Amino acid sequence: MVASVVPKRGTLGDKKILTGLGGGVALEWYDWNIYGLMASFLAPHFFPSDNPVNSTLAALAVFATGFVTRPLGAVVLGPLADRVSHKKVLILCVSIMAVTTLAITFLPTYDQIGVTAGFLLLALRLIQGLVTGAEAPVANTVAMELAPEGNRAQYLGVVSGSFVQLGILISMFASFLTSAAVGSDAMHEWGWRIPFFIGTVLAVAIVWLRRTLPETLKKGESTEDAQHATTGGVWREIWERRLALLAIVFVVGAAQVANYTWNTGLPNMANSVFDENSTLVFAIISGLGVMLVFGGPVVGRFADRRRASRVFVFCRLLVIPAMGLTLLYTRPGLGVFALVVLLGGIVVCLNMGLVNFTATSLMPLSCRATGVGLGFALGVMLFGGTASYIMIWLQQQDLYWLFGVYGGGVAALSVVLYLVAKKKGHVHVDD
């Protein structure tokens, strides 16, 4: 049964509720991102090759494949959240993520069980992709309902901006501290397992905190009651809003191209292709993480004080020149790496702080978890999950310049689709 008492707006100000909601988001992204950061270290253990770059590409292919099940998670768990319970789905997602991360921690390697090791790693990543496909949109839906009027963009910037980036930042710090403690050689041998174990330990407190979340499933913004809508009714609503769904795919996709380029693509290129000092690479990436944590509420607050749609368009167009910055890092050199990471990171920060609010605003509450979940999952699967692989593969083919064109083109198209959807009346949150 859905809770009969709907929490008042502003409940998100309760620190325990905010920590439970945002902390779970952070944990999901910690668990997800730590694989991307450890890819070049675990690659030889699961996908051995005479060429270390080929091993890394295989590990990144598994990283990309994990995004394939995100749409399935939105399809299966989204309607469950829209019809039964937001809270229960959130608890389920974070619990499964914790169990699978623990399994990766102790997973046998190729030397121990042969090719089965790689298949097991792939299976665990597919499961993680499935639950992550529902986590973000359901958390965004809850945050949108609990946020005070006039501060929605800021609160979405905190929950699905700062907390997402906090999870990524903690994964960066865990990587940095582990590398600094055990050394580069040990990181390649066994140290890569430690950050996965840290994520599992954090999960226990987060699962407990999520039990205190209020239930936000209630009468929606459309004429239908979200509590009693059928699954078919939810999908009919989404079909009627297929333009908005397409816009969400590209709004999310362009942001995630930039996000994964900076958070996983560049560090893997540094560690694997250019063989930089891994401890210094993770230190620089951690600096980016700090920037992203604090940038979310700042850009959200600015969007609340101005027209959110205009702020989104301005920030998104900045992605086009930012993608060109990646072309500066074409040979070993931590100075250039730091310049590209931190300067381009400002643009990534602006976009990641606003992308969840913008995407969530394109669907009404009655089908928001499903619609945003499906659009988010497709966007991340098609563009975000593949970004690191495409980046390093193009570099290996001496076609690295194409990556900047690709990322900038997706960003430009996202602006066009958003503006068309907005003109057709598909923005359901005050602009």
Side-chain angles (χ1 to χ4, degrees), residues 97-151:
M97 202 71 179
V99 171
T100 51
T101 300
L102 179 63
I104 293 175
T105 303
F106 297 103
L107 194 63
T109 65
Y110 180 91
D111 289 340
Q112 295 170 308
I113 59 174
V115 295
T116 304
F119 284 111
L120 287 176
L121 180 62
L122 174 61
L124 291 169
R125 292 296 296 173
L126 290 173
I127 295 171
Q128 289 184 331
L130 189 145
V131 297
T132 306
E135 162 69 24
V138 177
N140 291 343
T141 298
V142 173
M144 191 75 84
E145 286 307 296
L146 297 182
E149 294 284 357
N151 292 99

Side-chain angles (χ1 to χ4, degrees), residues 153 298-308 311 354 357 431:
V298 173
V299 68
R301 182 177 178 82
F302 183 72
D304 282 326
R305 300 299 180 265
R306 302 292 188 271
R307 293 191 65 178
V311 176
L354 200 55
F357 171 80
D431 184 16

Side-chain angles (χ1 to χ4, degrees), residues 256-273:
Q256 294 298 335
V257 168
N259 184 43
Y260 282 103
T261 295
W262 264 261
N263 281 315
T264 61
L266 285 168
N268 272 292
M269 182 175 288
N271 285 325
S272 179
V273 179

Side-chain angles (χ1 to χ4, degrees), residues 228-292:
H228 303 291
T230 64
T231 298
V234 171
W235 286 112
R236 281 192 295 272
E237 280 201 77
I238 292 173
W239 176 249
E240 292 170 359
R241 295 166 174 82
R242 53 192 178 276
L243 174 61
L245 178 64
L246 181 62
I248 292 171
V249 171
F250 279 85
V251 164
V252 171
Q256 294 298 335
V257 168
N259 184 43
Y260 282 103
T261 295
W262 264 261
N263 281 315
T264 61
L266 285 168
N268 272 292
M269 182 175 288
N271 285 325
S272 179
V273 179
F274 297 140
D275 198 26
E276 306 276 19
N277 183 295
S278 63
T279 302
L280 294 178
V281 168
F282 288 134
I284 294 168
I285 290 295
S286 296
L288 169 64
V290 172
M291 183 190 307
L292 293 172

Side-chain angles (χ1 to χ4, degrees), residues 337-386:
F337 175 77
L339 175 67
V340 172
V341 166
L342 299 179
L343 188 58
I346 296 173
V347 176
V348 178
C349 175
L350 294 174
N351 279 271
M352 291 305 293
L354 200 55
V355 63
N356 290 290
F357 171 80
T358 304
T360 304
S361 72
L362 288 166
M363 284 286 170
L365 179 61
S366 54
C367 61
R368 184 169 289 157
T370 306
V372 177
L374 181 59
F376 195 100
L378 288 171
V380 177
M381 179 188 74
L382 295 172
F383 301 107
T386 57

